[in-house]
Amino acid sequence: MDLQDLLPTDIDWWQLLLALLVALATWIISRFARRGTTALLRRAPGISAAVGTAITQFVAYAILLLGFGIALAMLGANVQPLLAIVVILGIVAILVLRGVADNFAAGVLLQARQTVRIGDEIVVEALDSVIAGTVTELNARAVILRTVDGRTLHIPNARLLSDPVVNDSTHGARRSEVEVRVRRDGTTRIDDLLAPLVDAARTAEGVHRHEGVRALVSA
């Protein structure tokens, strides 16, 4: 590609002035965009400093490239080869970073809607089974759970956003059922047998007082 094919020989002074103004405005906008992106990423937990720097640089360079392309177009330059290269690079970047971008966007939505928060007990479908655990961390890529059996589970944000999630901590309490087998002789009444069970469940730690404990005979 010859540079003489990009820029024409007859350039007016006002075209050059407009191109310089566009280039200057682009540089100023890129600086503000860098600061705004940095401030926005600071509010999103789980994004490391290296990843935040890479994102802000990408935003700034994209604005600079777009602005300089507009400035060259004002000078009458043939920017189609440059645009073709930019489009190809953009498509490659989208294909490579598709999973990362999906998880990042899903993480922003999860934190904005507060679907899950740190400390919530949730139930999800993973590893071909239903797994329950406590949310210990929310980052830009995944939601980290500590399962009831002591394992650490990393669930991609996009998976958590698209699949059903049961949050047992949303309302602060939930109903639980415990099956107890008790030996009974023929002289003991059912009510006398159930009363100690109800008292034991009522005084257990974590049982709310505003919801009464009931005992039902199943067999």
Side-chain angles (χ1 to χ4, degrees):
M1 182 172 54
D2 192 0
L3 294 177
Q4 294 181 356
D5 298 333
L6 292 178
L7 292 176
T9 57
D10 51 343
I11 299 177
D12 296 332
W13 65 270
W14 61 270
Q15 291 177 328
L16 182 59
L17 179 60
L18 286 178
L20 292 177
L21 291 177
V22 169
L24 179 61
T26 301
W27 181 79
I28 295 175
I29 293 174
S30 67
R31 300 290 294 181
F32 281 103
R34 183 190 294 269
R35 295 179 182 177
T37 305
T38 302
L40 180 62
L41 293 177
R42 287 178 180 175
R43 299 181 181 179
I47 299 179
S48 62
V51 175
T53 302
I55 294 175
T56 53
Q57 289 180 352
F58 176 80
V59 172
Y61 289 154
I63 295 176
L64 286 175
L65 186 60
L66 178 61
F68 290 157
I70 295 175
L72 290 176
M74 288 185 173
L75 294 176
N78 183 14
V79 295
Q80 291 182 357
L82 295 177
L83 291 178
I85 296 175
V86 171
V87 170
I88 293 175
L89 292 178
I91 294 175
V92 172
I94 290 174
L95 293 177
V96 172
L97 301 176
R98 180 178 178 182
V100 178
D102 291 344
N103 288 324
F104 178 78
V108 173
L109 290 177
L110 288 174
Q111 296 176 21
R113 297 179 180 179
Q114 294 186 346
T115 305
V116 294
R117 292 174 293 183
I118 296 178
D120 287 353
E121 297 180 2
I122 64 175
V123 180
V124 296
E125 294 183 2
L127 304 177
D128 298 331
S129 62
V130 178
I131 297 179
T134 303
V135 179
T136 59
E137 183 181 348
L138 298 171
N139 55 47
R141 191 191 69 84
V143 174
I144 301 177
L145 299 182
R146 185 180 66 249
T147 61
V148 293
D149 55 355
R151 295 180 294 175
T152 300
L153 180 63
H154 295 255
I155 304 178
N157 293 328
R159 176 77 178 274
L160 200 65
L161 188 65
S162 60
D163 294 347
V165 179
V166 179
N167 194 331
D168 293 332
S169 303
T170 302
H171 299 289
R174 63 182 184 274
R175 187 181 68 179
S176 300
E177 296 181 0
V178 179
E179 183 177 349
V180 180
R181 296 176 180 268
V182 182
R183 180 184 297 240
R184 171 179 176 264
D185 54 23
T187 59
T188 305
R189 298 189 309 166
I190 297 295
D191 295 338
D192 296 337
L193 192 64
L194 296 181
L197 299 178
V198 173
D199 293 338
R202 184 183 296 113
T203 56
E205 182 180 358
V207 178
H208 289 272
R209 300 294 183 266
H210 59 272
E211 294 290 343
V213 178
R214 295 183 301 169
L216 303 177
V217 180
S218 59

